[in-house]
Amino acid sequence: MEIKNRTNGVTLIVLTITIVILLILAGIVLYYGKDTIKMAQIEELKTNMLLIQAKAREYVEDANFKMGINPDEEKKANVRNEVYITNAKLKKVEEGEVPSDFGITDITTCYWLTPEAQSSWGLDKIKLVENEKYLIQFDENNVTVEIYNTQGYEGNYSLTAIENNV
């Protein structure tokens, strides 16, 4: 009687090679997946800041128009209260509230984005994590707006700095 060798099963060497290949592929996916998630978070932050900036520009243009040519400090203060606090529903930044990382020296035109403003501006979809806030700095002279985020990205907190760094 003749004995036949059966080789129908998976050998230990083939199984080991398969596992090693799967581990290498998993490592590659994790490495690039982590970068993809990080880039998505940065893009989400930039998008939120751009949305806030677009809406805030409407208010800086309105304030600039209402101030007229060569307004005195009292008129500037009154228009800012009317436009930024009453109409836009922002909260005036108080002395010592701005993180030193922002590099802001003059807070006279700085306002916090409030939940009420966020809702009335149609920005309800922007979800804030714990202690995260957006600060808006208006510049009526140049009719520009800079947006800051307290979480930031790699030591950059303003929209301009984040865009330049990425």
Side-chain angles (χ1 to χ4, degrees):
M1 181 179 241
E2 190 177 320
I3 299 177
K4 293 185 179 179
N5 265 344
R6 292 187 157 191
T7 56
N8 297 14
V10 176
T11 65
L12 190 56
I13 293 172
V14 172
L15 184 60
T16 304
I17 291 171
T18 305
I19 291 173
V20 167
I21 290 172
L22 288 174
L23 287 173
I24 290 170
L25 289 173
I28 291 170
V29 167
L30 284 175
Y31 178 77
Y32 287 108
K34 184 174 66 174
D35 286 346
T36 303
I37 290 170
K38 183 178 177 182
M39 289 306 296
Q41 290 170 337
I42 295 165
E43 288 303 317
E44 180 184 17
L45 176 62
K46 283 175 39 182
T47 300
N48 290 345
M49 294 172 94
L50 286 168
L51 287 169
I52 294 166
Q53 184 182 53
K55 188 64 180 176
R57 279 189 178 152
E58 293 177 26
Y59 291 103
V60 76
E61 289 172 5
D62 186 33
N64 190 38
F65 176 76
K66 288 181 178 182
M67 284 182 191
I69 299 172
N70 297 322
D72 60 12
E73 290 304 314
E74 183 180 347
K75 180 161 186 170
K76 285 181 182 181
N78 290 337
V79 168
R80 286 177 183 149
N81 279 337
E82 175 191 344
V83 173
Y84 302 139
I85 296 173
T86 305
N87 297 348
K89 298 174 177 46
L90 300 172
K91 179 183 175 279
K92 180 77 177 105
V93 170
E94 301 297 328
E95 194 69 40
E97 281 186 324
V98 177
S100 60
D101 297 342
F102 286 11
I104 298 174
T105 55
D106 179 17
I107 64 165
T108 58
T109 58
C110 294
Y111 297 83
W112 292 112
L113 180 67
T114 63
E116 186 180 12
Q118 198 174 330
S119 178
S120 70
W121 291 12
L123 302 174
D124 292 331
K125 299 223 185 278
I126 295 177
K127 300 298 177 208
L128 303 175
V129 297
E130 187 178 332
N131 297 324
E132 182 181 17
K133 293 182 185 177
Y134 286 97
L135 181 136
I136 304 169
Q137 184 179 32
F138 294 96
D139 180 357
E140 293 97 5
N141 296 331
N142 298 312
V143 193
T144 59
V145 176
E146 182 63 78
I147 308 299
Y148 296 85
N149 179 277
T150 54
Q151 298 296 315
Y153 166 70
E154 291 187 356
N156 297 299
Y157 301 94
S158 72
L159 176 58
T160 304
I162 291 171
E163 287 180 326
N164 291 338
N165 189 33
V166 177

